[in-house]
Amino acid sequence: MKKTLITGAAGFLGSHLCDRFIAEGHHVIGMDNLITGDLKNIEHLFHLERFEFFHHDVTKFVHVPGRMDYILHFASPASPIDYLKIPIETLKVGSLGTLNLLGLARDHKARILVASTSEVYGDPLVHPQNEDYYGNVSPIGPRGVYDEAKRFMESITMAYHRHHGLDTRIVRIFNTYGSRMRLNDGRVVPAFIGQALRGEDLTVFGDGSQTRSFTYIDDQVEGIYRLLLSDYVEPINIGNPDETTILEFAEEIIKLTGTDQKIVFKPLPKDDPLQRQPDITRAKEILGWEPTVHRSEGLKRVYEYFKSLSHDELYQAHR
Ligand code: NAD
Ligand code: UDP
C-alpha cells in the first residue's frame, strides 16, 4: 500500500486530494495547521484506519515516522484576502515550509509534488500563458507575498531535483472551484454565489473586463493525480482554458441563482491580473489530460453545495 503525505489537507484542494488518494487505496497522512482550513472538510475520513491527521505547522521542522512514498505539498493560504491578511505566514509556508518538505522527501526517498500557481505569471504579457513564459510579477507589490513565495517554491524544488536528484513534480494550478471552498474566503466563485444567496448585490472589482478561466475541482484533482504518476519534472499548467470576463461571470451567476440582485462596481485591487488563460498543450501531450466538466455544469454543482450550507455558515463573518 502506498503511503502519501498531503499538506494543507483540511483546505479546499487538500481535502479533495485526501478523498482521491484514499479512493486509490493509499494510506494518507493529512497535515494542516488550520490557519485557513477546517477539520470539517476531512472529518468523514477520521474513522478510516488508512487516514491519519497531524495538526502541524509545516514551517516548523516536519517529522513523519515510517515509510513514505509520495508527498503533496498544498499547504498555503490561497485566496487574496487570506494572503494579504497573513503575508508573513504566506511567505514562510512557500519558502521554509517547502524547504522542510523537500528535506522530508529526501530523507524518505519519496516523490514530492508541489502546488504552484498561475500567479507565477503575475499580470501576464503573454496570452494564453504557456509554461515557458517567465511571468510579470512585482516582488514588492501586495500580491508579491504569494507570487514570489510560489516562484521560490519552484526554484528550490528544481534545485533539489538537479542537485540532490530528488524525484519532484510541479503543478501550476489555475483558478479552481468546487465544494468546501469557504463562502467568505473572498475568491470570486464563493463571493458571488454567497452574495446571491444572501440577497446582496454582486461586487465586481474594476470594470469587470479582467478575465479568468475556471477549473472544476474534479478535473483539477485528475490532472494532479496524473502528473504525480508521470515522470515529468518541469512545471505543468492544469486549468480549463474556457476564459470569461468577470462581468460576464457575474451575469452568469445571477442567471444561475435566479436572483434579482444588481451588479455594483468596486475598485480593482492593486496588481490584480487583467487576463488569465492556461495553455494546456503540455498537459494534453504529456498527461493525456484535459478538462471534462463545462463551467455551466460545475457551477450548478457548486451552487447546490453552497445552498446546502446552514444559515450560520452563510452569514459567518470573514475570519
Ligand atoms: P485553502 O486555504 O482552502 O487550503 C490551504 C490549507 O493549507 C488550509 O487548510 C490551511 O490551514 C493550510 N495551511 C496554510 N499554512 C499552513 C502551514 N504553515 N502549515 C500547515 N498547514 C497550512 O486553499 P486551497 O485553495 O485549497 O489551496 C491549496 C493549495 O493550492 C495552495 O498551495 C494554493 O497556493 C494552491 N493553489 C490553489 C488554487 C485554487 O484555485 N484553489 C490556485 C492555485 C494554487
Ligand atoms: N473579484 C471580483 N469581485 C469579488 C471577488 C473577486 O470582481 O467579490 C475579481 C478579482 O478582482 C479578480 C477575479 O475576480 O479579478 C478573480 O478573483 P479571485 O480572488 O477569485 O482569484 P485571483 O485574483 O487570485 O485569480
PDB file of all heavy atoms in Angstrom, residues 8 10-14 31-38 56-59 74-78 82 93 115-117 146 150 173-176 187, ligand 1:
ATOM      1  N   GLY A   8      -1.795  20.773   3.909  1.00  0.00           N
ATOM      2  CA  GLY A   8      -2.953  21.598   3.541  1.00  0.00           C
ATOM      3  C   GLY A   8      -4.201  20.735   3.424  1.00  0.00           C
ATOM      4  O   GLY A   8      -5.172  21.095   2.737  1.00  0.00           O
ATOM      5  N   ALA A  10      -6.699  20.007   5.285  1.00  0.00           N
ATOM      6  CA  ALA A  10      -8.018  20.462   5.755  1.00  0.00           C
ATOM      7  C   ALA A  10      -8.558  21.604   4.893  1.00  0.00           C
ATOM      8  O   ALA A  10      -9.613  22.165   5.193  1.00  0.00           O
ATOM      9  CB  ALA A  10      -7.942  20.886   7.217  1.00  0.00           C
ATOM     10  N   GLY A  11      -7.835  21.938   3.846  1.00  0.00           N
ATOM     11  CA  GLY A  11      -8.279  23.021   2.959  1.00  0.00           C
ATOM     12  C   GLY A  11      -9.132  22.481   1.817  1.00  0.00           C
ATOM     13  O   GLY A  11      -9.454  21.286   1.763  1.00  0.00           O
ATOM     14  N   PHE A  12      -9.452  23.358   0.907  1.00  0.00           N
ATOM     15  CA  PHE A  12     -10.311  23.020  -0.238  1.00  0.00           C
ATOM     16  C   PHE A  12      -9.660  21.929  -1.111  1.00  0.00           C
ATOM     17  O   PHE A  12     -10.143  20.788  -1.188  1.00  0.00           O
ATOM     18  CB  PHE A  12     -10.593  24.318  -1.005  1.00  0.00           C
ATOM     19  CG  PHE A  12     -11.070  24.150  -2.412  1.00  0.00           C
ATOM     20  CD1 PHE A  12     -12.151  23.331  -2.708  1.00  0.00           C
ATOM     21  CD2 PHE A  12     -10.444  24.834  -3.453  1.00  0.00           C
ATOM     22  CE1 PHE A  12     -12.593  23.181  -4.023  1.00  0.00           C
ATOM     23  CE2 PHE A  12     -10.880  24.694  -4.760  1.00  0.00           C
ATOM     24  CZ  PHE A  12     -11.951  23.858  -5.044  1.00  0.00           C
ATOM     25  N   LEU A  13      -8.532  22.249  -1.737  1.00  0.00           N
ATOM     26  CA  LEU A  13      -7.908  21.266  -2.634  1.00  0.00           C
ATOM     27  C   LEU A  13      -7.368  20.060  -1.877  1.00  0.00           C
ATOM     28  O   LEU A  13      -7.525  18.912  -2.303  1.00  0.00           O
ATOM     29  CB  LEU A  13      -6.757  21.944  -3.398  1.00  0.00           C
ATOM     30  CG  LEU A  13      -7.136  22.615  -4.695  1.00  0.00           C
ATOM     31  CD1 LEU A  13      -6.023  23.518  -5.185  1.00  0.00           C
ATOM     32  CD2 LEU A  13      -7.405  21.544  -5.744  1.00  0.00           C
ATOM     33  N   GLY A  14      -6.724  20.325  -0.734  1.00  0.00           N
ATOM     34  CA  GLY A  14      -6.096  19.244   0.039  1.00  0.00           C
ATOM     35  C   GLY A  14      -7.112  18.195   0.451  1.00  0.00           C
ATOM     36  O   GLY A  14      -6.833  16.987   0.385  1.00  0.00           O
ATOM     37  N   MET A  31      -1.833  16.685   6.849  1.00  0.00           N
ATOM     38  CA  MET A  31      -1.164  17.603   7.786  1.00  0.00           C
ATOM     39  C   MET A  31      -1.691  19.010   7.537  1.00  0.00           C
ATOM     40  O   MET A  31      -1.828  19.423   6.378  1.00  0.00           O
ATOM     41  CB  MET A  31       0.344  17.545   7.564  1.00  0.00           C
ATOM     42  CG  MET A  31       1.149  18.332   8.578  1.00  0.00           C
ATOM     43  SD  MET A  31       2.921  18.100   8.337  1.00  0.00           S
ATOM     44  CE  MET A  31       3.184  16.496   9.064  1.00  0.00           C
ATOM     45  N   ASP A  32      -1.981  19.742   8.613  1.00  0.00           N
ATOM     46  CA  ASP A  32      -2.539  21.089   8.458  1.00  0.00           C
ATOM     47  C   ASP A  32      -2.436  21.822   9.792  1.00  0.00           C
ATOM     48  O   ASP A  32      -2.539  21.198  10.851  1.00  0.00           O
ATOM     49  CB  ASP A  32      -4.024  20.987   8.036  1.00  0.00           C
ATOM     50  CG  ASP A  32      -4.503  22.221   7.280  1.00  0.00           C
ATOM     51  OD1 ASP A  32      -4.517  23.303   7.889  1.00  0.00           O
ATOM     52  OD2 ASP A  32      -4.856  22.098   6.093  1.00  0.00           O
ATOM     53  N   ASN A  33      -2.232  23.147   9.737  1.00  0.00           N
ATOM     54  CA  ASN A  33      -2.263  23.930  10.992  1.00  0.00           C
ATOM     55  C   ASN A  33      -3.592  24.684  11.141  1.00  0.00           C
ATOM     56  O   ASN A  33      -3.753  25.472  12.062  1.00  0.00           O
ATOM     57  CB  ASN A  33      -1.081  24.906  11.068  1.00  0.00           C
ATOM     58  CG  ASN A  33      -1.183  26.026  10.053  1.00  0.00           C
ATOM     59  OD1 ASN A  33      -2.032  25.993   9.161  1.00  0.00           O
ATOM     60  ND2 ASN A  33      -0.315  27.027  10.175  1.00  0.00           N
ATOM     61  N   LEU A  34      -4.502  24.471  10.203  1.00  0.00           N
ATOM     62  CA  LEU A  34      -5.881  25.002  10.237  1.00  0.00           C
ATOM     63  C   LEU A  34      -5.950  26.523  10.166  1.00  0.00           C
ATOM     64  O   LEU A  34      -6.948  27.126  10.561  1.00  0.00           O
ATOM     65  CB  LEU A  34      -6.624  24.496  11.496  1.00  0.00           C
ATOM     66  CG  LEU A  34      -6.656  22.957  11.643  1.00  0.00           C
ATOM     67  CD1 LEU A  34      -7.397  22.558  12.908  1.00  0.00           C
ATOM     68  CD2 LEU A  34      -7.317  22.324  10.421  1.00  0.00           C
ATOM     69  N   ILE A  35      -4.919  27.160   9.611  1.00  0.00           N
ATOM     70  CA  ILE A  35      -4.930  28.634   9.566  1.00  0.00           C
ATOM     71  C   ILE A  35      -6.009  29.152   8.609  1.00  0.00           C
ATOM     72  O   ILE A  35      -6.642  30.177   8.885  1.00  0.00           O
ATOM     73  CB  ILE A  35      -3.522  29.209   9.266  1.00  0.00           C
ATOM     74  CG1 ILE A  35      -3.470  30.697   9.578  1.00  0.00           C
ATOM     75  CG2 ILE A  35      -3.063  28.949   7.845  1.00  0.00           C
ATOM     76  CD1 ILE A  35      -2.081  31.291   9.662  1.00  0.00           C
ATOM     77  N   THR A  36      -6.233  28.463   7.502  1.00  0.00           N
ATOM     78  CA  THR A  36      -7.371  28.816   6.630  1.00  0.00           C
ATOM     79  C   THR A  36      -8.258  27.603   6.366  1.00  0.00           C
ATOM     80  O   THR A  36      -9.279  27.721   5.689  1.00  0.00           O
ATOM     81  CB  THR A  36      -6.900  29.386   5.263  1.00  0.00           C
ATOM     82  OG1 THR A  36      -6.134  28.379   4.578  1.00  0.00           O
ATOM     83  CG2 THR A  36      -6.073  30.638   5.414  1.00  0.00           C
ATOM     84  N   GLY A  37      -7.864  26.443   6.861  1.00  0.00           N
ATOM     85  CA  GLY A  37      -8.624  25.211   6.617  1.00  0.00           C
ATOM     86  C   GLY A  37      -9.586  24.916   7.750  1.00  0.00           C
ATOM     87  O   GLY A  37      -9.658  25.649   8.740  1.00  0.00           O
ATOM     88  N   ASP A  38     -10.310  23.801   7.606  1.00  0.00           N
ATOM     89  CA  ASP A  38     -11.327  23.449   8.587  1.00  0.00           C
ATOM     90  C   ASP A  38     -11.415  21.927   8.666  1.00  0.00           C
ATOM     91  O   ASP A  38     -11.545  21.264   7.623  1.00  0.00           O
ATOM     92  CB  ASP A  38     -12.673  24.032   8.112  1.00  0.00           C
ATOM     93  CG  ASP A  38     -13.706  24.041   9.226  1.00  0.00           C
ATOM     94  OD1 ASP A  38     -13.717  23.086  10.026  1.00  0.00           O
ATOM     95  OD2 ASP A  38     -14.487  25.007   9.273  1.00  0.00           O
ATOM     96  N   HIS A  56      -0.184  20.317  12.449  1.00  0.00           N
ATOM     97  CA  HIS A  56       1.213  20.768  12.480  1.00  0.00           C
ATOM     98  C   HIS A  56       1.425  21.913  11.488  1.00  0.00           C
ATOM     99  O   HIS A  56       0.853  21.914  10.397  1.00  0.00           O
ATOM    100  CB  HIS A  56       2.133  19.589  12.126  1.00  0.00           C
ATOM    101  CG  HIS A  56       3.587  19.924  12.227  1.00  0.00           C
ATOM    102  ND1 HIS A  56       4.223  20.112  13.443  1.00  0.00           N
ATOM    103  CD2 HIS A  56       4.527  20.116  11.274  1.00  0.00           C
ATOM    104  CE1 HIS A  56       5.499  20.412  13.221  1.00  0.00           C
ATOM    105  NE2 HIS A  56       5.696  20.434  11.921  1.00  0.00           N
ATOM    106  N   ASP A  57       2.263  22.853  11.880  1.00  0.00           N
ATOM    107  CA  ASP A  57       2.660  23.958  11.008  1.00  0.00           C
ATOM    108  C   ASP A  57       3.907  23.521  10.237  1.00  0.00           C
ATOM    109  O   ASP A  57       4.959  23.281  10.851  1.00  0.00           O
ATOM    110  CB  ASP A  57       2.954  25.183  11.894  1.00  0.00           C
ATOM    111  CG  ASP A  57       3.443  26.376  11.093  1.00  0.00           C
ATOM    112  OD1 ASP A  57       3.789  26.220   9.902  1.00  0.00           O
ATOM    113  OD2 ASP A  57       3.485  27.475  11.678  1.00  0.00           O
ATOM    114  N   VAL A  58       3.814  23.430   8.919  1.00  0.00           N
ATOM    115  CA  VAL A  58       4.932  22.878   8.136  1.00  0.00           C
ATOM    116  C   VAL A  58       6.135  23.824   8.046  1.00  0.00           C
ATOM    117  O   VAL A  58       7.180  23.427   7.533  1.00  0.00           O
ATOM    118  CB  VAL A  58       4.498  22.440   6.706  1.00  0.00           C
ATOM    119  CG1 VAL A  58       3.428  21.365   6.767  1.00  0.00           C
ATOM    120  CG2 VAL A  58       4.044  23.633   5.866  1.00  0.00           C
ATOM    121  N   THR A  59       5.982  25.058   8.549  1.00  0.00           N
ATOM    122  CA  THR A  59       7.170  25.926   8.575  1.00  0.00           C
ATOM    123  C   THR A  59       8.080  25.547   9.733  1.00  0.00           C
ATOM    124  O   THR A  59       9.225  25.996   9.806  1.00  0.00           O
ATOM    125  CB  THR A  59       6.797  27.428   8.670  1.00  0.00           C
ATOM    126  OG1 THR A  59       6.198  27.675   9.938  1.00  0.00           O
ATOM    127  CG2 THR A  59       5.844  27.834   7.565  1.00  0.00           C
ATOM    128  N   PHE A  74       0.514  21.081  -0.396  1.00  0.00           N
ATOM    129  CA  PHE A  74      -0.563  22.012  -0.756  1.00  0.00           C
ATOM    130  C   PHE A  74      -0.830  23.048   0.320  1.00  0.00           C
ATOM    131  O   PHE A  74      -1.744  23.870   0.173  1.00  0.00           O
ATOM    132  CB  PHE A  74      -1.853  21.226  -1.101  1.00  0.00           C
ATOM    133  CG  PHE A  74      -1.820  20.732  -2.520  1.00  0.00           C
ATOM    134  CD1 PHE A  74      -0.934  19.728  -2.895  1.00  0.00           C
ATOM    135  CD2 PHE A  74      -2.612  21.305  -3.496  1.00  0.00           C
ATOM    136  CE1 PHE A  74      -0.852  19.306  -4.220  1.00  0.00           C
ATOM    137  CE2 PHE A  74      -2.539  20.897  -4.823  1.00  0.00           C
ATOM    138  CZ  PHE A  74      -1.660  19.890  -5.178  1.00  0.00           C
ATOM    139  N   ALA A  75      -0.075  23.011   1.435  1.00  0.00           N
ATOM    140  CA  ALA A  75      -0.310  23.984   2.498  1.00  0.00           C
ATOM    141  C   ALA A  75       0.080  25.372   2.016  1.00  0.00           C
ATOM    142  O   ALA A  75       1.201  25.575   1.559  1.00  0.00           O
ATOM    143  CB  ALA A  75       0.502  23.607   3.738  1.00  0.00           C
ATOM    144  N   SER A  76      -0.829  26.311   2.089  1.00  0.00           N
ATOM    145  CA  SER A  76      -0.574  27.738   1.829  1.00  0.00           C
ATOM    146  C   SER A  76      -1.913  28.451   1.770  1.00  0.00           C
ATOM    147  O   SER A  76      -2.851  27.937   1.144  1.00  0.00           O
ATOM    148  CB  SER A  76       0.117  27.966   0.476  1.00  0.00           C
ATOM    149  OG  SER A  76       0.154  29.366   0.187  1.00  0.00           O
ATOM    150  N   PRO A  77      -1.994  29.633   2.378  1.00  0.00           N
ATOM    151  CA  PRO A  77      -3.180  30.451   2.099  1.00  0.00           C
ATOM    152  C   PRO A  77      -3.246  30.643   0.589  1.00  0.00           C
ATOM    153  O   PRO A  77      -2.206  30.750  -0.070  1.00  0.00           O
ATOM    154  CB  PRO A  77      -2.874  31.776   2.803  1.00  0.00           C
ATOM    155  CG  PRO A  77      -1.832  31.430   3.820  1.00  0.00           C
ATOM    156  CD  PRO A  77      -1.031  30.305   3.233  1.00  0.00           C
ATOM    157  N   ALA A  78      -4.459  30.685   0.040  1.00  0.00           N
ATOM    158  CA  ALA A  78      -4.572  30.715  -1.418  1.00  0.00           C
ATOM    159  C   ALA A  78      -5.464  31.835  -1.932  1.00  0.00           C
ATOM    160  O   ALA A  78      -5.398  32.178  -3.111  1.00  0.00           O
ATOM    161  CB  ALA A  78      -5.098  29.375  -1.916  1.00  0.00           C
ATOM    162  N   ASP A  82      -6.954  36.179   2.158  1.00  0.00           N
ATOM    163  CA  ASP A  82      -6.189  35.434   3.177  1.00  0.00           C
ATOM    164  C   ASP A  82      -4.720  35.844   3.133  1.00  0.00           C
ATOM    165  O   ASP A  82      -4.125  36.180   4.149  1.00  0.00           O
ATOM    166  CB  ASP A  82      -6.287  33.917   2.943  1.00  0.00           C
ATOM    167  CG  ASP A  82      -7.631  33.342   3.361  1.00  0.00           C
ATOM    168  OD1 ASP A  82      -8.338  33.993   4.162  1.00  0.00           O
ATOM    169  OD2 ASP A  82      -7.973  32.230   2.900  1.00  0.00           O
ATOM    170  N   VAL A  93       5.353  29.740   4.476  1.00  0.00           N
ATOM    171  CA  VAL A  93       4.920  28.386   4.090  1.00  0.00           C
ATOM    172  C   VAL A  93       5.429  28.027   2.686  1.00  0.00           C
ATOM    173  O   VAL A  93       5.781  26.877   2.413  1.00  0.00           O
ATOM    174  CB  VAL A  93       3.389  28.199   4.253  1.00  0.00           C
ATOM    175  CG1 VAL A  93       2.600  28.907   3.169  1.00  0.00           C
ATOM    176  CG2 VAL A  93       3.019  26.723   4.289  1.00  0.00           C
ATOM    177  N   ALA A 115       2.475  22.401  -5.023  1.00  0.00           N
ATOM    178  CA  ALA A 115       1.356  23.144  -5.616  1.00  0.00           C
ATOM    179  C   ALA A 115       1.807  24.563  -5.929  1.00  0.00           C
ATOM    180  O   ALA A 115       1.866  25.422  -5.056  1.00  0.00           O
ATOM    181  CB  ALA A 115       0.173  23.169  -4.648  1.00  0.00           C
ATOM    182  N   SER A 116       2.130  24.800  -7.202  1.00  0.00           N
ATOM    183  CA  SER A 116       2.399  26.166  -7.642  1.00  0.00           C
ATOM    184  C   SER A 116       1.109  26.734  -8.238  1.00  0.00           C
ATOM    185  O   SER A 116       0.028  26.160  -8.053  1.00  0.00           O
ATOM    186  CB  SER A 116       3.560  26.191  -8.622  1.00  0.00           C
ATOM    187  OG  SER A 116       3.871  27.526  -8.950  1.00  0.00           O
ATOM    188  N   THR A 117       1.214  27.819  -8.936  1.00  0.00           N
ATOM    189  CA  THR A 117       0.014  28.578  -9.299  1.00  0.00           C
ATOM    190  C   THR A 117       0.202  29.376 -10.580  1.00  0.00           C
ATOM    191  O   THR A 117       1.330  29.763 -10.926  1.00  0.00           O
ATOM    192  CB  THR A 117      -0.343  29.539  -8.136  1.00  0.00           C
ATOM    193  OG1 THR A 117      -1.286  30.498  -8.594  1.00  0.00           O
ATOM    194  CG2 THR A 117       0.865  30.305  -7.640  1.00  0.00           C
ATOM    195  N   TYR A 146       2.574  36.174  -2.115  1.00  0.00           N
ATOM    196  CA  TYR A 146       2.108  34.862  -2.570  1.00  0.00           C
ATOM    197  C   TYR A 146       2.891  34.443  -3.812  1.00  0.00           C
ATOM    198  O   TYR A 146       3.446  33.347  -3.875  1.00  0.00           O
ATOM    199  CB  TYR A 146       0.622  34.957  -2.881  1.00  0.00           C
ATOM    200  CG  TYR A 146      -0.045  33.684  -3.339  1.00  0.00           C
ATOM    201  CD1 TYR A 146      -0.214  32.608  -2.475  1.00  0.00           C
ATOM    202  CD2 TYR A 146      -0.532  33.563  -4.644  1.00  0.00           C
ATOM    203  CE1 TYR A 146      -0.856  31.438  -2.899  1.00  0.00           C
ATOM    204  CE2 TYR A 146      -1.173  32.400  -5.070  1.00  0.00           C
ATOM    205  CZ  TYR A 146      -1.336  31.345  -4.196  1.00  0.00           C
ATOM    206  OH  TYR A 146      -1.976  30.198  -4.618  1.00  0.00           O
ATOM    207  N   LYS A 150       5.675  31.356  -4.211  1.00  0.00           N
ATOM    208  CA  LYS A 150       5.472  30.229  -5.119  1.00  0.00           C
ATOM    209  C   LYS A 150       6.608  30.139  -6.147  1.00  0.00           C
ATOM    210  O   LYS A 150       6.991  29.047  -6.565  1.00  0.00           O
ATOM    211  CB  LYS A 150       4.119  30.361  -5.825  1.00  0.00           C
ATOM    212  CG  LYS A 150       2.930  30.216  -4.884  1.00  0.00           C
ATOM    213  CD  LYS A 150       2.779  28.796  -4.357  1.00  0.00           C
ATOM    214  CE  LYS A 150       1.513  28.630  -3.550  1.00  0.00           C
ATOM    215  NZ  LYS A 150       1.333  27.253  -3.047  1.00  0.00           N
ATOM    216  N   ILE A 173      -1.403  25.534 -10.875  1.00  0.00           N
ATOM    217  CA  ILE A 173      -2.859  25.422 -10.784  1.00  0.00           C
ATOM    218  C   ILE A 173      -3.503  26.745 -11.172  1.00  0.00           C
ATOM    219  O   ILE A 173      -3.117  27.800 -10.650  1.00  0.00           O
ATOM    220  CB  ILE A 173      -3.247  25.060  -9.329  1.00  0.00           C
ATOM    221  CG1 ILE A 173      -2.598  23.720  -8.929  1.00  0.00           C
ATOM    222  CG2 ILE A 173      -4.750  25.034  -9.141  1.00  0.00           C
ATOM    223  CD1 ILE A 173      -2.690  23.415  -7.443  1.00  0.00           C
ATOM    224  N   PHE A 174      -4.482  26.683 -12.075  1.00  0.00           N
ATOM    225  CA  PHE A 174      -5.279  27.873 -12.424  1.00  0.00           C
ATOM    226  C   PHE A 174      -6.567  27.850 -11.613  1.00  0.00           C
ATOM    227  O   PHE A 174      -7.003  26.778 -11.163  1.00  0.00           O
ATOM    228  CB  PHE A 174      -5.572  27.875 -13.935  1.00  0.00           C
ATOM    229  CG  PHE A 174      -4.395  28.351 -14.761  1.00  0.00           C
ATOM    230  CD1 PHE A 174      -3.224  27.595 -14.817  1.00  0.00           C
ATOM    231  CD2 PHE A 174      -4.445  29.549 -15.454  1.00  0.00           C
ATOM    232  CE1 PHE A 174      -2.124  28.032 -15.556  1.00  0.00           C
ATOM    233  CE2 PHE A 174      -3.354  29.995 -16.196  1.00  0.00           C
ATOM    234  CZ  PHE A 174      -2.192  29.239 -16.255  1.00  0.00           C
ATOM    235  N   ASN A 175      -7.195  29.021 -11.457  1.00  0.00           N
ATOM    236  CA  ASN A 175      -8.392  29.199 -10.602  1.00  0.00           C
ATOM    237  C   ASN A 175      -9.298  27.966 -10.597  1.00  0.00           C
ATOM    238  O   ASN A 175      -9.887  27.638 -11.631  1.00  0.00           O
ATOM    239  CB  ASN A 175      -9.223  30.391 -11.074  1.00  0.00           C
ATOM    240  CG  ASN A 175      -8.477  31.697 -10.963  1.00  0.00           C
ATOM    241  OD1 ASN A 175      -7.459  31.883 -11.644  1.00  0.00           O
ATOM    242  ND2 ASN A 175      -8.944  32.592 -10.125  1.00  0.00           N
ATOM    243  N   THR A 176      -9.407  27.347  -9.452  1.00  0.00           N
ATOM    244  CA  THR A 176     -10.190  26.115  -9.307  1.00  0.00           C
ATOM    245  C   THR A 176     -11.313  26.351  -8.304  1.00  0.00           C
ATOM    246  O   THR A 176     -11.118  27.074  -7.320  1.00  0.00           O
ATOM    247  CB  THR A 176      -9.255  24.974  -8.865  1.00  0.00           C
ATOM    248  OG1 THR A 176      -8.252  24.816  -9.873  1.00  0.00           O
ATOM    249  CG2 THR A 176     -10.000  23.665  -8.665  1.00  0.00           C
ATOM    250  N   ARG A 187     -12.669  34.661  -2.663  1.00  0.00           N
ATOM    251  CA  ARG A 187     -12.481  34.304  -4.068  1.00  0.00           C
ATOM    252  C   ARG A 187     -13.808  34.469  -4.799  1.00  0.00           C
ATOM    253  O   ARG A 187     -14.886  34.358  -4.219  1.00  0.00           O
ATOM    254  CB  ARG A 187     -11.923  32.887  -4.189  1.00  0.00           C
ATOM    255  CG  ARG A 187     -10.458  32.874  -3.765  1.00  0.00           C
ATOM    256  CD  ARG A 187      -9.800  31.547  -3.959  1.00  0.00           C
ATOM    257  NE  ARG A 187      -9.965  30.661  -2.826  1.00  0.00           N
ATOM    258  CZ  ARG A 187      -9.288  29.535  -2.659  1.00  0.00           C
ATOM    259  NH1 ARG A 187      -8.384  29.169  -3.551  1.00  0.00           N
ATOM    260  NH2 ARG A 187      -9.476  28.769  -1.605  1.00  0.00           N
TER     261      ARG A 187
HETATM  262  P1  NAD B   1      -7.135  26.586   1.308  1.00  0.00           P
HETATM  263  O1  NAD B   1      -6.881  27.845   2.056  1.00  0.00           O
HETATM  264  O2  NAD B   1      -8.522  26.035   1.272  1.00  0.00           O
HETATM  265  O3  NAD B   1      -6.186  25.424   1.835  1.00  0.00           O
HETATM  266  C1  NAD B   1      -4.881  25.638   2.272  1.00  0.00           C
HETATM  267  C2  NAD B   1      -4.636  24.795   3.505  1.00  0.00           C
HETATM  268  O4  NAD B   1      -3.271  24.949   3.937  1.00  0.00           O
HETATM  269  C3  NAD B   1      -5.515  25.218   4.690  1.00  0.00           C
HETATM  270  O5  NAD B   1      -6.171  24.091   5.239  1.00  0.00           O
HETATM  271  C4  NAD B   1      -4.517  25.833   5.675  1.00  0.00           C
HETATM  272  O6  NAD B   1      -4.927  25.711   7.017  1.00  0.00           O
HETATM  273  C5  NAD B   1      -3.238  25.052   5.345  1.00  0.00           C
HETATM  274  N1  NAD B   1      -2.012  25.736   5.747  1.00  0.00           N
HETATM  275  C6  NAD B   1      -1.637  27.013   5.452  1.00  0.00           C
HETATM  276  N2  NAD B   1      -0.434  27.281   6.002  1.00  0.00           N
HETATM  277  C7  NAD B   1      -0.033  26.145   6.647  1.00  0.00           C
HETATM  278  C8  NAD B   1       1.122  25.797   7.396  1.00  0.00           C
HETATM  279  N3  NAD B   1       2.117  26.673   7.620  1.00  0.00           N
HETATM  280  N4  NAD B   1       1.219  24.536   7.901  1.00  0.00           N
HETATM  281  C9  NAD B   1       0.226  23.633   7.685  1.00  0.00           C
HETATM  282  N5  NAD B   1      -0.896  23.911   7.003  1.00  0.00           N
HETATM  283  C10 NAD B   1      -1.026  25.157   6.473  1.00  0.00           C
HETATM  284  O7  NAD B   1      -6.594  26.818  -0.189  1.00  0.00           O
HETATM  285  P2  NAD B   1      -6.711  25.902  -1.487  1.00  0.00           P
HETATM  286  O8  NAD B   1      -7.476  26.640  -2.494  1.00  0.00           O
HETATM  287  O9  NAD B   1      -7.139  24.539  -1.102  1.00  0.00           O
HETATM  288  O10 NAD B   1      -5.204  25.878  -1.968  1.00  0.00           O
HETATM  289  C11 NAD B   1      -4.364  24.763  -1.707  1.00  0.00           C
HETATM  290  C12 NAD B   1      -3.042  24.910  -2.443  1.00  0.00           C
HETATM  291  O11 NAD B   1      -3.270  25.002  -3.849  1.00  0.00           O
HETATM  292  C13 NAD B   1      -2.256  26.151  -2.039  1.00  0.00           C
HETATM  293  O12 NAD B   1      -0.879  25.834  -2.001  1.00  0.00           O
HETATM  294  C14 NAD B   1      -2.534  27.128  -3.164  1.00  0.00           C
HETATM  295  O13 NAD B   1      -1.482  28.044  -3.330  1.00  0.00           O
HETATM  296  C15 NAD B   1      -2.663  26.186  -4.357  1.00  0.00           C
HETATM  297  N6  NAD B   1      -3.481  26.791  -5.428  1.00  0.00           N
HETATM  298  C16 NAD B   1      -4.843  26.818  -5.326  1.00  0.00           C
HETATM  299  C17 NAD B   1      -5.588  27.403  -6.350  1.00  0.00           C
HETATM  300  C18 NAD B   1      -7.104  27.414  -6.321  1.00  0.00           C
HETATM  301  O14 NAD B   1      -7.719  27.923  -7.272  1.00  0.00           O
HETATM  302  N7  NAD B   1      -7.763  26.851  -5.332  1.00  0.00           N
HETATM  303  C19 NAD B   1      -4.948  28.005  -7.444  1.00  0.00           C
HETATM  304  C20 NAD B   1      -3.556  27.982  -7.483  1.00  0.00           C
HETATM  305  C21 NAD B   1      -2.830  27.358  -6.481  1.00  0.00           C
END
